[in-house]
Amino acid sequence: MKIDWKNLGFSYMPVKSNIRYRYRDGRWDQGSIYNSDRIELSVASNCLHYGQAAFEGLKAFRCKDGRVRIFRPAENARRMNKTSAHLLGPEIPEELFIDAVKRVVRDNIEYVPPYGTGGSLYIRPLLIGSSAQIGISAAQEYEFIILVVPVGPYYKGGIKPVDAYVSEDWDRAAPHGTGHIKIAGNYAASLKPTKVAKEHGCHVALFLDPRTHTYIEEFGTSNFIGIKPDGTYVTPESPSILESVTNKSLLELARDLGLTTERRRIHKDELADFSEVGACGTAVVVTPVGRIFIGDKVFSYGDCIGPVLKKLFDHMTGLQFGEIEDIHHWMLPLD
Ligand code: PLP
Ligand code: COI
């Protein structure tokens, strides 16, 4: 294995193993490590036809003291269970979820990027309805799989600003649909609007509230943060956006740093009032947004990361790599 740790992007590579648990007859098995990244499913598996598929995303870091730590896995366990409950899937006990994460990270320890390279091990839990059926109903059987992959920055260029295109013709989620949970279908729904954003020269699509197209919701893979000139951190409140673990953590860090925070509806006209805009999430961490294109208007936020987002980025990554004291106890040591 020869990996160019400093030049990792966000792309798949086969690693040593993944872990899989089976849910049969109302109970989870003990889980097994697999060295193949292939799965065998019936052609009639529910997840393939009817989308009973949930996923999560979290990261493990090689810290300054040499130990490996995982960022807030209990939050992902909680959210995966919220998604599963909506899809009528089984509950994954939090201890099972965290133990599964630890087992697969341990088995792939040589894929955790070294401290100082900026990389991390992305952990991707999946829950799929696997039993064969043709009628539409919840599956009887499930697979809980966790795969891992070493990653660097999600967008090429590290923390260089990305441009966003407001999707006025398509939504990623319905007003009372599935936008608040992490199901595979939300990402299928965002493919076309993201392609349109790219055709307009932008990296990402920014979605509006699906009922009125008046309020800012989120990006296809991350939450929205607006920073006002006085440093206030504003992020949208909406029933159709994903509750981001990163955003929740940044809100706390912002308050630790003495900033005012607001979680509320954000009218699209307020895009003119922000001095900095960012996208936040596990994969994108805190990525500055340089310009937002909406209809025939363009809002500009500068060609490098602004001071408030930079402070938040440094604080978050400092904490994740063990350079800043973890006062909230968010980092779970692997061993
Ligand atoms: N919003 C969407 C649509 C996402 O896919 C993600 C990524 O998981 C986020 C927000 C950020 O969530 P988190 O910070 O928990 O990764
Ligand atoms: C994450 O940030 O973990 C995500 O799931 C976003 C994306 C890669 C789908």
Side-chain angles (χ1 to χ4, degrees), residues 82 172-175 178-181 186 207-210 216-219 222-224 235-244 247 263-264:
K82 186 168 151 187
R172 65 179 278 282
T178 55
H180 63 300
I181 51 172
N186 292 345
F207 294 94
L208 299 173
D209 77 285
I216 302 295
E217 293 253 297
E218 65 175 331
F219 303 100
S222 49
N223 272 185
F224 176 98
T235 195
E237 169 106 82
S238 157
S240 45
I241 64 179
L242 192 73
E243 223 183 284
S244 153
N247 199 4
R263 198 198 274 273
R264 57 165 173 83

Side-chain angles (χ1 to χ4, degrees), residues 24 39-53 128-135 137-143:
R24 301 268 184 282
I39 55 176
E40 189 168 302
L41 285 175
S42 162
V43 292
S45 284
N46 181 315
C47 61
L48 300 177
H49 299 243
Y50 304 132
Q52 213 187 6
I128 54 174
S130 52
S131 44
Q133 60 189 77
I134 209 70
S137 64
Q140 297 296 311
E141 297 175 357
Y142 295 80
E143 306 267 331

Side-chain angles (χ1 to χ4, degrees), residues 95-262:
E95 318 78 77
L96 185 153
F97 184 100
I98 292 176
D99 191 48
V101 168
K102 286 184 164 181
R103 283 173 72 187
V104 71
V105 173
R106 266 188 214 116
D107 203 54
N108 289 280
I109 198 77
E110 73 264 42
Y111 288 93
V112 182
Y115 172 73
T117 60
S120 54
L121 189 72
Y122 185 70
I123 303 165
R124 169 55 64 80
L126 286 181
L127 173 66
I128 54 174
S130 52
S131 44
Q133 60 189 77
I134 209 70
I136 301 182
S137 64
Q140 297 296 311
E141 297 175 357
Y142 295 80
E143 306 267 331
F144 172 49
I145 302 172
I146 307 183
L147 57 109
V148 296
V149 61
V151 297
Y154 189 72
Y155 298 112
K156 281 197 194 86
I159 53 169
K160 261 198 15 225
V162 296
D163 288 338
Y165 180 80
V166 176
S167 176
E168 294 190 283
D169 294 333
W170 290 283
D171 303 313
R172 65 179 278 282
H176 296 285
T178 55
H180 63 300
I181 51 172
K182 207 159 166 64
I183 66 163
N186 292 345
Y187 297 83
S190 71
L191 289 176
K192 182 169 176 156
T194 303
K195 178 167 179 274
V196 171
K198 289 188 174 154
E199 283 164 0
H200 284 85
C202 293
H203 308 80
V204 292
L206 175 58
F207 294 94
L208 299 173
D209 77 285
R211 188 191 294 286
T212 69
H213 280 194
T214 308
Y215 299 97
I216 302 295
E217 293 253 297
E218 65 175 331
F219 303 100
T221 58
S222 49
N223 272 185
F224 176 98
I225 307 169
I227 306 290
K228 299 231 272 223
D230 68 358
T232 304
Y233 177 126
V234 193
T235 195
E237 169 106 82
S238 157
S240 45
I241 64 179
L242 192 73
E243 223 183 284
S244 153
V245 179
T246 313
N247 199 4
K248 181 176 169 179
S249 310
L250 288 170
L251 280 159
E252 282 197 56
L253 293 182
R255 286 192 288 267
D256 293 347
L257 294 169
L259 301 175
T260 304
T261 62
E262 296 173 3

Side-chain angles (χ1 to χ4, degrees), residues 60-64 66-69 109 112-116 119 320-321:
F61 300 84
R62 176 73 67 182
C63 296
K64 196 176 173 189
R67 291 178 76 186
V68 172
R69 293 183 179 84
I109 198 77
V112 182
Y115 172 73
Q320 291 175 326
F321 288 112

